[in-house]
Amino acid sequence: MTTADITPPLRIGLLGTGPWARNTQAPALAAHPGVELSGVWGRRAEAADALATAHGTRAYTGEEGIDALLEASDAVAFALPPDVQAPLAVRAAEAGCHLLMDKPVATTVAGARAVAEAAEKASVASVVFCTLRFAPETSAWIAEQAAVDGWFTARAQWLGSLYAAGSDSEYADSPWRRDKGGLWDVGPHALSVLIPVLGDVEHLTAAAGPADTTHLILRHTSGASSTVTLGLSAPPGAAGVEIEVRGERGTASIPGWAGAETAFRGAVDALAEAVRTGVPHPCDARFGLHLTELLAAAEQQAQAAG
């Protein structure tokens, strides 16, 4: 019997009961062989009960329920609006729980900084779930391109049709997503790919496009530049995700990926590895803070120019 065979499962509690929790996080956590889903907390008791029952765990609700779930958990995963997530992540870190957060960590720099500082002070591991950094197909592609020098430019387009006429997506009911638009919802995904490949962003220009669309022009520390188009209101025929880099060795385009649940399992593995080794993951709370800083600067520019 190896050490891995006798390692106890990581007890992870889930905060949130909405579509993201139901469709991705709860199924991934309940099925993960190295995880015990230690409970589900929700603001609505009936939703928490339903999700917990579906996955054979305990439901929690109310303020006292948060404390009880934190006490029963080694780590917590969040399926909550970003500015609800951030103060609860601080609370979880202070209780000694490791953090598996959704992107963006917060929509204010102060909120994201509080999370990063709390995680650092408590010496807890943290991972921010930027999907493409954890899906097996795309994470391998990112690592491959990051190992190559000589990139000249890149182009990223992430256009959803969440708010297009006739859309029936349950994610369209999210107030924070409707308020903040594609910049904040899908911007973290694009930036989380471009930064490891081209280097950090040293200059950013932003402009508003139609509906909630935002256009970015970025200059990276490698000397390369990139353009990014983000939105959730494109016509269905215009929706899609494309990321390509161009340089001395030609052009490379990001592959497709299997889906969010598989990617989330990868994020769970990354958190478990960070807990085991004490080595921070590149997509940790500090990186989440940096993403919020970039998105806040872009939002301010786009609003001023609009």
Side-chain angles (χ1 to χ4, degrees):
M1 181 176 289
T2 67
T3 302
D5 294 326
I6 60 174
T7 300
L10 190 66
R11 299 174 303 157
I12 302 182
L14 176 59
L15 291 159
T17 59
W20 193 237
R22 293 196 308 270
N23 298 337
T24 300
Q25 289 167 304
L29 291 168
H32 196 292
V35 167
E36 174 191 335
L37 179 56
S38 51
V40 174
W41 177 89
R43 287 172 283 190
R44 294 185 299 113
E46 63 273 21
D49 286 339
L51 190 57
T53 298
H55 296 286
T57 190
R58 180 178 174 183
Y60 297 83
T61 194
E63 282 296 308
E64 69 284 354
I66 296 173
D67 292 329
L69 180 58
L70 296 180
E71 186 173 348
S73 305
D74 304 309
V76 284
F78 294 86
L80 296 168
D83 295 325
V84 176
Q85 168 180 251
L88 288 178
V90 170
R91 186 168 165 180
E94 291 173 346
C97 289
H98 307 290
L99 308 174
L100 180 47
M101 294 173 287
D102 202 7
K103 55 73 207 163
V105 170
T107 66
T108 67
V109 173
R113 180 175 293 116
V115 175
E117 290 178 349
E120 185 174 354
K121 182 177 180 180
S123 298
V124 297
S126 59
V127 164
V128 179
F129 181 45
C130 295
T131 306
L132 303 187
R133 293 291 288 271
F134 300 100
E137 306 89 341
T138 52
S139 62
W141 183 89
I142 292 166
E144 181 181 351
Q145 311 320 315
V148 175
D149 293 326
W151 293 120
F152 182 71
T153 192
R155 176 181 63 87
Q157 284 196 149
W158 196 303
L159 292 171
S161 56
L162 204 62
Y163 301 123
S167 170
D168 60 357
S169 172
E170 58 186 337
Y171 296 102
D173 294 332
S174 164
W176 84 265
R177 193 173 274 110
R178 184 174 289 276
D179 179 51
K180 304 302 284 188
L183 174 67
W184 285 93
D185 187 29
V186 297
H189 293 312
L191 291 171
S192 76
V193 173
L194 295 173
I195 288 172
V197 175
L198 303 180
D200 201 1
V201 176
E202 60 181 15
H203 187 269
L204 177 154
T205 302
D212 74 310
T213 305
T214 303
H215 302 283
L216 307 179
I217 302 173
L218 310 176
R219 187 173 67 234
H220 298 265
T221 52
S222 66
S225 64
S226 64
T227 60
V228 184
T229 299
L230 308 163
L232 299 175
S233 304
V241 178
E242 297 179 4
I243 303 176
E244 67 173 22
V245 290
R246 292 174 175 263
E248 295 172 358
R249 302 193 187 190
T251 302
S253 298
I254 200 164
W257 61 97
E261 187 178 338
T262 299
F264 191 73
R265 286 199 296 269
V268 173
D269 291 337
L271 181 69
E273 181 70 5
V275 171
R276 185 183 67 81
T277 64
V279 178
H281 190 274
C283 275
D284 64 358
R286 188 61 60 178
F287 183 70
L289 166 60
H290 187 44
L291 291 180
T292 296
E293 291 170 335
L294 292 171
L295 295 170
E299 181 181 61
Q300 185 176 28
Q301 278 198 31
Q303 290 175 345

